[in-house]
Amino acid sequence: MDNPISLKAAPAAAAPAPAEPQGSAKSNTRRIFREYGMLISLVVIMGFFQYMTDGTLMQPLNLTNLVLQNSYIVIMALGMLLVIVAGHIDLSVGSVCGFIGALAAVLMVNYDWPVLPATIVCLACGGLIGAIQGWFVAYFRIPSFIVTLAGMLVFKGLALALLQGQSVGPFPEVFQRLSSGFIPDLFSTDGFRFTSLLLGVVVAVVLSVASIRSRLREARHGITSEPAAVFFFRISVVAALLVGFTWMLSSYRGLPNVLIVMALLVLLYDFVMRRTTIGRRVYALGGNEKAARLSGIKTERLAFYTFVNVGVLAALAGLVFAARLNTATPKAGLGFELDVIAACFIGGASASGGVGKIMGAVIGAFIMGVMNNGMSILGIGIDYQQVIKGLVLLAAVFVDVYHKNR
């Protein structure tokens, strides 16, 4: 006789923890701080130094100097971010910057070259330097740390050789306008630049409209987005900050030429990294090189191009820095690579590659710039400034590693 089959109730599975609603206040707060945490940090730091310096930080003259002092760091950070996202590093950008400034001085001052041909040659030379270093890294598999460390020493020495240990200048007036010039005002007014303010308002409106169109496109595809109230509050705050910043600059001498150049580069690189196939491939390369290669991406060529790109941008930064000083000095570019790398890491780039945003690197550069400027106004010595900057960099990398290990 068959044994009776005992029917016992199976043990009830543990009920899964309730998922956090997509539109909850907690999830929205986390999302805002994840995406805009660095921008909020920049605003908080500026507010702190504005209070500590009795309003000096936000004066129009100081804001203009802040832009001019950090323009070349931002330009180099755009190229450095691509290299870091691809899983490499470039320690030579500071030396390349100084070398290109020296080359421009020799061509324009010593040999009386016109500004445009000399500028083209300098940018081409920067691309060639990046190509040489990228070739060793991408095709010979030499670690980028070693290659660019050698490049840092080589181009620092070549800059000294070109200048023969002396400063060379001044540059032609047309070249100086690259860094010390301001966009012309179309209205004949004294003391206020309405053209600069109008341009700032137009940019704020265009960015706001682009954000609204992007939200509508996401809604059509059923993508969950932040609540409408939070969205409109966010773009209103960003637009207000942009118009307010432009207003303060307009009350002095208007928008600097180099700010226009920098803004166009930021928009271009942000578009490339977020909206194009090349940008997605760079992220794939840094995230997992073997998987990227198996998916058909030519990883060697892509890594090579990132070094060519950073070489051209380092050359442009060298021209901007030389134009701002109106002379080329043997010590130009000294330590720039540290500020550039720190700006990328503070802005959210990962030391292991595959993670990083253009706007994050830009905000990171201005965080470093505001700290330098604010501490200088407060009279803090260069020794303690270096200590504080080092601790901020360590904290930024620690946060990145901590979140990865969770």
Side-chain angles (χ1 to χ4, degrees):
M1 183 177 177
D2 295 334
N3 294 329
I5 300 174
S6 61
L7 300 175
K8 294 183 179 180
E20 191 176 274
Q22 285 281 347
S24 68
K26 189 175 180 180
S27 64
N28 287 327
T29 303
R30 287 181 176 176
R31 180 177 180 274
I32 290 172
F33 275 96
R34 184 173 62 250
E35 294 189 7
Y36 305 101
M38 292 311 303
L39 181 59
I40 295 172
S41 299
L42 175 60
V43 173
V44 170
I45 291 172
M46 292 186 72
F48 170 77
F49 282 111
Q50 172 74 355
Y51 172 77
M52 294 300 295
T53 60
D54 297 325
T56 303
L57 181 75
M58 300 291 287
Q59 289 182 359
L61 173 59
N62 192 63
L63 281 178
T64 301
N65 289 333
L66 193 61
V67 170
L68 298 179
Q69 290 168 1
N70 291 278
S71 56
Y72 43 90
I73 299 297
V74 171
I75 291 171
M76 284 188 285
L78 299 177
M80 181 66 74
L81 181 74
L82 269 66
V83 172
I84 291 175
V85 169
H88 300 288
I89 197 74
D90 190 344
L91 300 178
S92 68
V93 289
S95 297
V96 173
C97 175
F99 170 72
I100 294 299
L103 178 62
V106 169
L107 293 177
M108 296 184 198
V109 178
N110 292 352
Y111 292 98
D112 294 323
W113 275 42
V115 172
L116 184 59
T119 300
I120 293 174
V121 168
C122 289
L123 293 177
C125 186
L128 178 61
I129 291 170
I132 293 172
Q133 296 188 137
W135 183 269
F136 283 109
V137 172
Y139 294 101
F140 287 92
R141 297 289 177 176
I142 302 176
S144 58
F145 183 93
I146 302 300
V147 173
T148 57
L149 178 62
M152 179 176 70
L153 299 174
V154 167
F155 295 109
K156 189 178 297 183
L158 288 178
L160 284 170
L162 269 179
L163 298 175
Q164 298 180 351
Q166 299 178 347
S167 298
V168 176
F171 286 98
E173 184 179 351
V174 175
F175 181 72
Q176 295 177 38
R177 292 176 187 165
L178 172 64
S179 189
S180 60
F182 296 81
I183 67 171
D185 191 61
L186 303 179
F187 305 96
S188 56
T189 56
D190 295 329
F192 196 87
R193 308 289 179 175
F194 280 101
T195 302
S196 296
L197 177 61
L198 181 62
L199 183 59
V201 172
V202 169
V203 171
V205 170
V206 169
L207 292 179
S208 299
V209 171
S211 298
I212 294 172
R213 292 183 62 183
S214 177
R215 178 183 172 84
L216 293 175
R217 185 166 55 249
E218 290 177 356
R220 283 197 301 269
H221 290 85
I223 301 175
T224 304
S225 185
E226 59 190 333
V230 176
F231 171 77
F232 284 107
F233 175 76
R234 174 175 60 81
I235 64 172
S236 299
V237 169
V238 172
L241 289 175
L242 182 57
V243 173
F245 176 73
T246 309
W247 177 282
M248 285 184 283
L249 291 182
S250 301
S251 64
Y252 176 54
R253 296 183 64 183
L255 300 179
N257 293 334
V258 70
L259 178 61
I260 305 300
V261 173
M262 185 173 63
L264 292 175
L265 286 174
V266 169
L267 291 175
L268 173 64
Y269 278 84
D270 185 63
F271 175 80
V272 168
M273 292 300 288
R274 291 196 304 117
R275 299 297 181 93
T276 68
T277 304
I278 295 177
R280 289 191 289 270
R281 287 178 176 178
V282 173
Y283 283 112
L285 171 61
N288 190 323
E289 183 180 359
K290 183 178 292 186
R293 188 184 302 112
L294 292 175
S295 66
I297 297 175
K298 297 181 179 180
T299 55
E300 291 86 359
R301 187 169 67 182
L302 192 60
F304 172 78
Y305 285 153
T306 60
F307 278 93
V308 174
N309 174 72
V310 75
V312 173
L313 291 180
L316 177 59
L319 295 174
V320 170
F321 184 69
R324 179 172 176 268
L325 291 184
N326 197 23
T327 186
T329 65
K331 291 187 177 181
L334 184 64
F336 284 4
E337 62 279 348
L338 302 180
D339 285 339
V340 173
I341 294 171
C344 293
F345 287 143
I346 290 173
S350 173
S352 57
V355 177
K357 293 182 178 180
I358 292 295
M359 291 308 302
V362 174
I363 293 172
F366 276 106
I367 286 177
M368 296 290 291
V370 169
M371 289 176 58
N372 287 335
N373 187 268
M375 289 188 291
S376 297
I377 295 173
L378 292 174
I380 299 176
I382 189 66
D383 45 0
Y384 288 106
Q385 288 189 31
Q386 298 296 330
V387 171
I388 294 172
K389 287 162 59 178
L391 292 175
V392 170
L393 173 60
L394 180 61
V397 177
F398 172 79
V399 169
D400 170 62
V401 174
Y402 173 77
H403 283 293
K404 277 192 170 183
N405 293 335
R406 288 186 64 181

